[in-house]
Amino acid sequence: MTNPLLADDALPRFSSIRPEHVEPAVDTVLADNRAAIRQLLDAGGPWGWDNLVAPLERLEDRLERVWSPVSHLNAVRNSEGLRAAYNACLPKLSAYQTEVGQNTELFEAMQALRESGAFAELDQAQRQTVDNALRDFRLAGVALPETEKRRYAEIASRLSELSSRFQENLLDATNAWQLDVTNEARLAGVPESALGVMRQAAEQAGVEGWRVTLDVPVVQAILGHARDRELRREVYEAFTTRASDTGPHGGRWDNLPLMREILALRREQAALLGFASYAELSLQPKMAESPAQVIGFLEDLAQRAKPVAEQEFAELAAFAREQDGLETLEAWDVGYYSERLREARFELSPEDLRPYLQADRVMDGLFQVVERLFGVRIQAREGVDVWHEDVRFYEIRDPDGTLRGQFYTDLYARPQKRGGAWMATLRGRLRDGERLQTPVAFLTCNFTPPVGGRPALITHDEVETLFHEFGHGLHHMLTRVDAASVAGINGVAWDAVELPSQFLENWTWEREALDLFAAHHETGEPIPEALFQRLRAARNFQAAMQMVRQLEFSLFDLRLHTEPDAEARIYELLEAVREQVAVVRPPAFNRFPNSFAHIFAGGYAAGYYSYKWAEVLSADAYSRFEEEGIFNAETGRAFLENILEKGGSEDAMSLFVAFRGREPSIEPLLRASGLAA
């Protein structure tokens, strides 16, 4: 049988990939890579780019070409067979990565290159690659004694398994719960767009009425709009107790034992490498210098935001009392009364904008915004093999037709698909002699799908999400760097990686940009000026409450990864952080940490603060466009050349200063969040 994962196709043949292809493909590439590394070292120095770093980059790329499609399918088309194959490979991949990271001969070869005259002849991106590699060797334990190296390898392998199980438990718990409603009165207040999705889910399951699930668009619709308070409470409890010891499936997919083990192992790993905490280890490749600096940054924001957030919450509680005589505002009431207060204060509901935000048109408008800013052209390409009928494929080209990047979009929620929104990489830019590999990205969201012959209509929040993820995609695809390890998002300090994504969100609030895509799906009319003004006026509605919520997550994450016995006190630490910054206090049954995939199954451990850190950069970067014109071609080119094209080839602060002409200021973020005064 020919294995599609080993084919040298320009793009994967997703429809041909089966679970039984996965392990043989991974085994083949790992064996080939090990043999190639041995051969490379046996050939000996003197070491340079062409006989050391470039061959290693090619090997890493070959592994990514096999594993990226598998990892992606596991997230968007999860099945028992694929899950088993994916999990069978995790220990093998972990063992290989640790083996390479701890290879003393490779480390000494890289060190010899760093200290030789050949290093001075390398370009900036190549020098950065060598320096990053030496740092990563140290962080992989290359200098440890043999017994400690073995322990490090065991920990790395176990952590990859635990992260995967965390994500699986969360997906299974999300898919396991549903509530079938036959009495329409229970769903009073819920927007028609969400009712259509629930009706469709019920039809597909062969049941009467409406099926309420834990897909995020459905949960948001219930919590934001259902008048039935008991229904809100039921959905809130099911959603916030997923993968925990409590709630409707309490104990069935409980992530707590995994979380405890993950935290203990991370701390042990950090200690092996000589760090006082996992947070210290995590910050090594980031912009921030120490956990204390990050905590200071977060607490400073909290001091500014919390008094305003308390005021916002008091207004909300007073409004709920006045409207419905509600004496206690519970967590499952906050979304509902927030929407009613927004409607009362600004005559605005997210549903008011939905008819103007047809997903396909929004996509076209996003492309037009990017084309105007960065001078590229984006076009759909038909006939590409995909994993689901909703998936589309596009190409980004320079004005002269040169191909810059390619990407897949998969926009709608469905079962067996991980929740949330993300950009992931399929291929990175890599120059191999004359051949230049085009970067390819995945853009994944979980929007409300089209229902009953009507087009998919999304909320303004979802438009922001789409722009955000595409900002990551542009960072990956528009790179001009030929050294794969620092091309695109590779090698970018994690606390700067959100800069392009948060930056691009700003255009979703500008009339000039909205007019490129916001048009009524039936009449074609643009958003009426009065509605646009209400949208703008409501931009900072409860901004301080939203900020303290993000600060709560960030401080909780940092404390989990700095305090010596955190795994024994997970919920207790969260309570302590809430005491410090939160204004909404959830009920005792809430198990938010059990679904905090960013830090337990994603790349944000001791790094969740990156969203706020990068927001300082993005708000300040955008302020230059506010000064010079939001579609100023020269400013767009400066952002393209200094940030997007450079990837991780230079220090993030240097790149920011090159674009902005100075170090970042926090003022634009405070202004944008309505906290400047």
Side-chain angles (χ1 to χ4, degrees):
M1 129 184 122
T2 58
N3 191 325
L5 287 167
L6 292 171
D8 199 20
D9 299 322
L11 295 164
R13 285 175 280 158
F14 285 104
S15 62
S16 307
I17 298 170
R18 302 281 175 270
E20 59 269 23
H21 295 135
V22 175
E23 236 183 314
V26 168
D27 288 342
T28 300
V29 173
L30 293 182
D32 290 352
N33 279 15
R34 284 184 169 105
I37 289 171
R38 188 64 264 159
Q39 201 177 347
L40 179 148
L41 288 167
D42 288 345
W47 300 110
W49 181 265
D50 293 337
N51 69 343
L52 177 63
V53 192
L56 290 174
E57 294 216 316
R58 286 196 294 273
L59 297 182
E60 193 54 38
D61 179 68
R62 173 132 195 259
L63 183 54
E64 186 181 40
R65 287 169 73 93
V66 167
W67 189 243
S68 282
V70 174
S71 182
H72 181 69
L73 288 175
N74 190 54
V76 297
R77 207 183 68 194
N78 193 278
S79 67
E80 243 175 89
L82 183 58
R83 182 183 286 194
Y86 176 86
N87 285 329
C89 292
L90 289 178
K92 299 179 184 195
L93 290 161
S94 176
Y96 170 77
Q97 297 294 3
T98 305
E99 194 184 301
V100 172
Q102 294 183 348
N103 187 317
T104 315
E105 289 177 83
L106 272 182
F107 171 65
E108 286 167 354
M110 199 68 76
Q111 190 72 49
L113 167 56
R114 181 67 178 84
E115 289 162 6
S116 72
F119 183 77
E121 290 163 26
L122 302 181
D123 64 31
Q124 169 59 35
Q126 293 171 333
R127 289 198 298 274
Q128 189 71 49
T129 300
V130 172
D131 284 340
N132 287 0
L134 289 169
R135 175 199 69 206
D136 295 343
F137 275 118
R138 292 188 190 98
L139 296 181
V142 74
L144 295 176
E146 277 314 310
T147 50
E148 292 182 6
K149 271 187 177 176
R150 275 198 299 279
R151 181 60 190 146
Y152 181 101
E154 286 165 11
I155 291 172
S157 178
R158 182 68 182 148
L159 282 172
S160 70
E161 288 172 45
L162 291 167
S163 292
S164 178
R165 274 186 46 208
F166 183 98
Q167 194 69 265
E168 287 168 7
N169 283 349
L170 187 54
L171 181 64
D172 290 345
T174 303
N175 286 336
W177 187 90
Q178 68 259 333
L179 174 70
D180 292 327
V181 177
T182 50
N183 176 5
E184 190 169 4
R186 274 209 89 185
L187 297 169
V190 176
E192 182 49 49
S193 55
L195 290 174
V197 170
M198 292 185 249
R199 243 192 325 267
Q200 186 168 280
E203 278 166 24
Q204 287 167 351
V207 297
E208 291 295 304
W210 297 263
R211 172 161 281 190
V212 181
T213 66
L214 295 183
D215 284 339
V216 170
V218 174
V219 172
Q220 286 175 336
I222 299 285
L223 294 182
H225 302 282
R227 288 186 204 125
D228 184 329
R229 193 182 188 201
E230 185 45 40
L231 175 64
R232 296 201 305 270
R233 196 205 62 77
E234 197 175 339
V235 171
Y236 174 88
E237 183 178 0
F239 190 73
T240 61
T241 57
R242 288 174 302 157
S244 79
D245 61 327
T246 183
H249 293 113
R252 188 157 172 208
W253 292 284
D254 189 1
N255 269 334
L256 182 61
L258 309 185
M259 291 146 59
R260 285 181 170 149
E261 193 180 346
I262 286 169
L263 292 171
L265 288 174
R266 283 175 181 164
R267 192 176 62 252
E268 187 186 347
Q269 189 179 52
L272 280 173
L273 297 171
F275 294 101
S277 68
Y278 184 80
E280 269 192 19
L281 165 58
S282 164
L283 291 184
Q284 293 305 302
K286 296 184 169 86
M287 281 178 84
E289 286 156 25
S290 68
Q293 185 194 15
V294 175
I295 288 172
F297 164 73
L298 296 171
E299 288 180 342
D300 173 50
L301 278 178
Q303 270 180 324
R304 297 168 191 260
K306 193 179 180 185
V308 184
E310 285 171 331
Q311 201 181 323
E312 289 173 349
F313 188 69
E315 284 168 5
L316 186 64
F319 176 78
R321 234 184 348 265
E322 198 180 293
Q323 291 294 299
D324 293 327
L326 210 66
E327 279 313 309
T328 310
L329 193 65
E330 299 288 358
W332 50 88
D333 300 320
V334 171
Y336 178 78
Y337 286 100
S338 293
E339 288 304 338
R340 304 296 76 76
L341 179 57
R342 192 203 317 249
E343 284 165 10
R345 190 174 289 174
F346 303 103
E347 297 175 40
L348 184 75
S349 155
E351 295 304 307
D352 295 341
L353 285 148
R354 203 189 279 269
Y356 297 90
L357 300 173
Q358 186 181 329
D360 290 343
R361 280 197 69 138
V362 172
M363 207 76 205
D364 288 343
L366 165 60
F367 297 163
Q368 288 179 62
V369 168
V370 167
E371 288 171 354
R372 287 177 66 173
L373 282 172
F374 306 125
V376 292
R377 296 285 166 266
I378 303 174
Q379 291 161 317
R381 189 176 125 193
E382 301 300 324
V384 172
D385 191 325
V386 295
W387 56 91
H388 190 273
E389 61 190 11
D390 291 342
V391 177
R392 300 287 174 268
F393 185 81
Y394 299 90
E395 296 187 326
I396 304 183
R397 292 183 180 271
D398 282 327
D400 66 1
T402 307
L403 184 63
R404 283 290 280 276
Q406 298 171 314
F407 60 99
Y408 299 84
T409 63
D410 184 353
L411 299 184
Y412 307 113
R414 59 176 180 269
Q416 279 66 59
K417 182 180 177 185
R418 195 175 96 204
W422 67 92
M423 188 284 297
T425 64
L426 173 65
R427 305 265 159 87
R429 180 172 161 117
L430 169 75
R431 186 171 292 284
D432 184 9
E434 289 303 297
R435 189 179 77 89
L436 183 63
Q437 179 168 280
T438 302
V440 188
F442 297 116
L443 186 70
T444 311
C445 296
N446 272 282
F447 299 154
T448 305
V451 176
R454 287 178 58 144
L457 302 174
I458 62 179
T459 64
H460 187 263
D461 274 357
E462 289 175 326
V463 175
E464 269 195 294
T465 297
L466 187 62
F467 273 64
H468 178 102
E469 298 308 336
F470 200 61
H472 284 307
L474 292 174
H475 205 185
H476 175 64
M477 293 182 284
L478 294 183
T479 187
R480 289 272 192 205
V481 176
D482 292 343
S485 307
V486 291
I489 61 167
N490 293 339
V492 176
W494 200 251
D495 41 13
V497 87
E498 297 293 334
L499 162 58
S501 51
Q502 292 174 332
F503 162 81
L504 203 60
E505 289 176 28
N506 288 289
W507 275 265
T508 67
W509 294 94
E510 299 287 358
R511 177 94 231 190
E512 208 180 331
L514 282 168
D515 282 347
L516 297 173
F517 59 84
H520 197 283
H521 71 104
E522 288 169 346
T523 66
E525 291 296 308
I527 293 178
E529 183 58 22
L531 178 56
F532 171 71
Q533 291 304 340
R534 297 201 297 274
L535 173 71
R536 285 285 295 205
R539 183 174 185 177
N540 285 329
F541 176 63
Q542 296 185 342
M545 277 172 65
Q546 287 166 12
M547 184 177 284
V548 294
R549 191 160 173 266
Q550 288 294 307
L551 296 173
E552 176 189 318
F553 298 165
S554 303
L555 284 164
F556 173 55
D557 167 40
L558 256 249
R559 288 190 67 173
L560 283 179
H561 292 102
T562 48
E563 303 202 4
D565 57 346
E567 67 273 16
R569 301 186 301 126
I570 293 175
Y571 303 131
E572 200 184 308
L573 279 176
L574 181 54
E575 271 314 298
V577 168
R578 283 178 175 155
E579 193 62 45
Q580 183 189 359
V581 299
V583 295
V584 178
R585 301 301 288 272
F589 64 69
N590 180 295
R591 292 289 184 271
F592 159 71
N594 295 54
S595 61
F596 198 1
H598 273 80
I599 69 166
F600 289 112
Y604 285 86
Y608 197 84
Y609 77 89
S610 301
Y611 283 102
K612 276 285 159 254
W613 188 276
E615 222 177 311
V616 172
L617 306 177
S618 64
D620 197 2
Y622 186 66
S623 68
R624 183 174 162 191
F625 284 83
E626 291 177 306
E627 292 157 15
E628 297 172 8
I630 66 156
F631 282 117
N632 184 307
E634 252 173 77
T635 320
R637 189 161 55 251
F639 190 82
L640 173 70
E641 290 171 358
N642 290 298
I643 307 290
L644 298 177
E645 291 186 345
K646 292 282 172 68
S649 65
E650 287 179 49
D651 164 69
M653 183 61 86
S654 310
L655 294 178
F656 182 88
V657 171
F659 169 70
R660 199 64 185 93
R662 55 166 172 74
E663 292 208 343
S665 156
I666 198 169
E667 287 311 311
L669 172 62
L670 297 176
R671 212 171 44 244
S673 311
L675 297 173

